[in-house]
Amino acid sequence: MKRLESREVKSLIRNRIKKIRENLSLEEKNLLEKRIYEKFFNLEIVKNSKTFLSYMDFKNEVPTRKINETLIKLGKTLNLPKIIQGDMVAVLNNNRFEIGKYGISEPLGERFYKNIDVVIVPGVAFNRRGDRIGFGKGYYDRFLSEEIYKNSLKIALAYDFQINDEFSGEDFDIKMDIIITDKEVIVVGE
Ligand code: ADP
Ligand code: MG
């Protein structure tokens, strides 16, 4: 039998885990969000960082509304992603949104050109080596490969069922530094 290529394995796992995530109930989601929220704000590096890029969740991704609200309350600089001409960019949150490409809320603030301490990354699946499967468009890979984000700490948020060690990242897949799930904090490389 032909050995499956990394990208085919990624595609199979992407589809399987997306289906599981679609079936999460609101109650489950709220409970798991709370556990992930607590682990996130318990990290010293989060307490000590100033500038963040978070995301606006859609399709049952780990919700970020409470995380984003708390970051603002703590006086952190909060940016959110926006797709401009096919590329993801960081935009300063001003609490005003429009519905962008793919139906995701996008901020109406100014573009943010400075470096970012912590990037909070959504995803469909992650392995324990920090590799990520997204929706298959490579937005985060291209964004995070920019020189200015090389030293940003990449923290992924995921439900426990999204951790999967059956796939390998491809050369262009940018690795996560930390993956927070409802069950554990995975520090990649530890
Ligand atoms: P996702 O990360 O969303 O799961 P993939 O990893 O499959 O998606 O990447 C989707 C596409 O994006 C790939 O076909 C790849 O060619 C392209 N891509 C990823 N990173 C880069 C990059 N740094 N520069 C140019 N294209 C890239
Ligand atoms: Mg990728």
Side-chain angles (χ1 to χ4, degrees), residues 113-116 143 145-152:
Y113 292 98
K114 291 181 230 166
N115 63 315
I116 293 175
F143 177 80
S145 69
E146 286 175 43
E147 187 62 28
I148 191 166
Y149 304 126
K150 227 176 74 185
N151 293 321
S152 300

Side-chain angles (χ1 to χ4, degrees), residues 1-2 4 21 32 34 37 55-56 59 63 89 94 104 108 111-113 122 124 132 135 145-146 149 161 163 170 185:
M1 201 176 83
K2 178 176 164 283
L4 288 178
R21 191 167 66 177
L32 302 178
K34 195 160 167 277
Y37 172 97
Y55 64 89
M56 297 297 283
K59 288 201 171 166
V89 301
N94 64 355
I104 306 173
L108 286 165
R111 248 185 99 166
F112 189 80
Y113 292 98
V124 176
R132 166 182 179 271
F135 279 114
S145 69
E146 286 175 43
Y149 304 126
F161 62 79
I163 303 300
E170 296 179 84
V185 175

Side-chain angles (χ1 to χ4, degrees), residues 6 37 53 63 85 119 153:
S6 292
Y37 172 97
L53 173 75
Q85 290 169 349
V119 178
L153 187 81

Side-chain angles (χ1 to χ4, degrees), residues 10 14 132-134 136-141 170 172-174:
K10 279 168 67 183
R14 180 184 289 118
R132 166 182 179 271
I133 298 176
K137 302 261 190 262
Y139 282 111
Y140 274 90
D141 291 324
E170 296 179 84
F172 51 75
D173 283 320
I174 302 290

Side-chain angles (χ1 to χ4, degrees), residues 37-156:
Y37 172 97
E38 282 163 5
K39 289 187 175 65
F40 179 81
F41 283 106
N42 268 330
L43 293 178
E44 281 307 309
I45 191 82
V46 166
K47 294 177 192 164
N48 295 332
S49 294
K50 178 78 188 81
T51 317
F52 291 74
L53 173 75
S54 183
Y55 64 89
M56 297 297 283
D57 56 280
F58 91 132
K59 288 201 171 166
N60 271 355
E61 286 175 332
V62 174
T64 49
R65 193 175 54 84
K66 295 195 188 90
I67 285 179
N68 295 350
E69 281 173 6
T70 301
L71 288 172
I72 294 168
K73 272 193 206 132
L74 291 171
K76 313 287 191 190
T77 301
L78 175 65
N79 292 283
L80 293 164
K82 181 181 175 80
I83 308 296
I84 296 181
Q85 290 169 349
D87 284 320
M88 179 177 147
V89 301
V91 168
L92 203 54
N93 170 59
N94 64 355
N95 293 315
R96 294 178 55 237
F97 298 93
E98 63 181 353
I99 302 297
K101 212 176 164 185
Y102 310 112
I104 306 173
S105 283
E106 294 185 341
L108 286 165
E110 299 278 309
R111 248 185 99 166
F112 189 80
Y113 292 98
K114 291 181 230 166
N115 63 315
I116 293 175
D117 299 328
V118 175
V119 178
I120 306 172
V121 186
V124 176
F126 300 91
N127 68 29
R128 286 172 187 277
R129 282 164 288 148
D131 297 307
R132 166 182 179 271
I133 298 176
F135 279 114
K137 302 261 190 262
Y139 282 111
Y140 274 90
D141 291 324
R142 287 194 302 277
F143 177 80
L144 293 173
S145 69
E146 286 175 43
E147 187 62 28
I148 191 166
Y149 304 126
K150 227 176 74 185
N151 293 321
S152 300
L153 187 81
K154 289 109 189 158
I155 304 184

